[in-house]
Amino acid sequence: MDDLYKMIKPFLNRTILTKYNFGFAGEVYIETDKFEEEYNQYLPILEKYFSLKKPFYCNRNYTYYSTDLIETTDLVKNIALDAPIILNLELSYDNKRYIIFSLTEYMLSCIAKLVGVIFSYTSLDVNYYKALKEYLKNLTDYITQIIFDEELNQFPPLSFGLIDSIISDIKELNISHVREYSEMDNILIMFITYFALCDYIGEHDIIISPLQGAALIPPFFISMQKYTNIMNRCSGLAGYEYVRFSKYDNTHYCELSLPDQVHLLSTQYPESTNILLIDDNTGTATTLKSIKQELLKYFKNISTSALEYYWEGKIFRTDYSAFQLDDIDLITPLCYRYFKILEEHLEFLKNEKDINFRYDLVEFSKINMIYDKIDYYLYINNDCTEISTKTRILNIYERIKVVMEILSNAKNSFYN
């Protein structure tokens, strides 16, 4: 099971992510002295995407979190126009890479917002879903190449005619707003989790994720797998799909019910398809279990996973039952980021509230990704009844610790 992990582990030493400071929401910071002169030189372009958070510049501002349909689609067009210009500017390489990385993240977020709307309405889905889903994968292919410090090639082109047509049809349905963001828009967490799960991901044919929070996970994992598999000559996932469902999110409206969505999937894939059902985070695992229950009506082989978990619920008394180890197949030790803290932090990123950071941006593990108030070995050994499940959980736990250590050491050596 460790063969692929061992083969792709050297890729960890090639990532540029160690050179960036990641924040609580997945935003990326760069020191002002490395960025300010060129930022001011190209202010009309760059102020659309960056904000000053002394002593850093941050690659998110209020535009990233806009819920207005027109603002979002205007931003899509701006990125499509600005990215090629930036690629041709006489910028320092590190700054240019940081800017293009950031613009790609912006575009990923905007397209994911549009996918969430389009998937929910049958008339939109039939016309645009396939095209935007493919474009999402082109974007994750592109950002993966940036992550591994490949040459900055042409930004993935997008048809303005397609965007104009989407806007027109969405307006016909009296829709004026999109979701604020996808919860798992944190490249660092997705990157670390991919390496921890790479062997297990490779056992599946497709990834299915619930919209909206997990929208970016499937295309990113597929792009990561494709990149590392090209180098290692391995086979890869055939594709990815979405369902629109949540037990807790009141904004998850979809014209098709979950049973109808799953039935439609069953007409596109054979019963023997190996499915990885993966969410961004989970507290009770109720959403995952509900989707899996529907999938099992048509498919035999389904594995479940989430990237972050409410591990605090294993220690503190809560008003609901936290997820059970035997309910989920691929469990990480990554700890769910509190909504209240995240919401407060987003106000800061949107420049609507001047608050102090809750963490040290200089430290690589600043988002406290592993909950440190639990003895995972003791808890898992005592509370996991299925031996194969126990083995997987401990294996993933060990891998994430190793991956984070490698990245942390790489960052320390970079700054030293």
Side-chain angles (χ1 to χ4, degrees), residues 203-206 265-266 268-276 295 298-302:
E203 295 177 340
H204 300 86
D205 301 312
I206 63 169
L265 283 175
S266 73
Q268 302 171 45
Y269 297 95
E271 183 185 34
S272 59
T273 302
N274 292 313
I275 295 172
L276 175 58
L295 288 169
Y298 302 96
F299 303 100
K300 294 180 179 179
N301 307 309
I302 302 160

Side-chain angles (χ1 to χ4, degrees), residues 22-39:
F22 281 81
F24 191 77
E27 77 278 16
V28 181
Y29 298 85
I30 190 170
E31 290 83 352
T32 54
D33 60 351
K34 294 182 178 180
F35 195 56
E36 192 146 38
E37 182 178 343
E38 292 186 324
Y39 176 84

Side-chain angles (χ1 to χ4, degrees), residues 11-20 93-98 101 141-153 191 227 414:
F11 283 85
L12 289 167
N13 295 315
R14 294 171 45 186
T15 177
I16 66 164
L17 299 184
T18 58
K19 301 180 181 182
Y20 297 149
Y93 178 74
D94 285 345
N95 283 350
K96 181 181 290 189
R97 185 179 56 194
Y98 172 68
F101 173 88
D141 283 350
Y142 190 71
I143 206 166
T144 298
Q145 292 168 9
I146 297 173
I147 285 169
F148 290 112
D149 206 13
E150 297 286 347
E151 183 180 351
L152 293 174
N153 295 315
F191 180 86
Y227 184 88
F414 172 77

Side-chain angles (χ1 to χ4, degrees), residues 4 7 39 206 257 263 284 293 306 343 359 363 398 404:
L4 179 58
M7 287 178 68
Y39 176 84
I206 63 169
S257 66
H263 174 71
T284 65
Q293 184 177 354
E343 287 171 0
Y359 48 83
E363 296 294 328
E398 283 297 326
M404 290 178 66

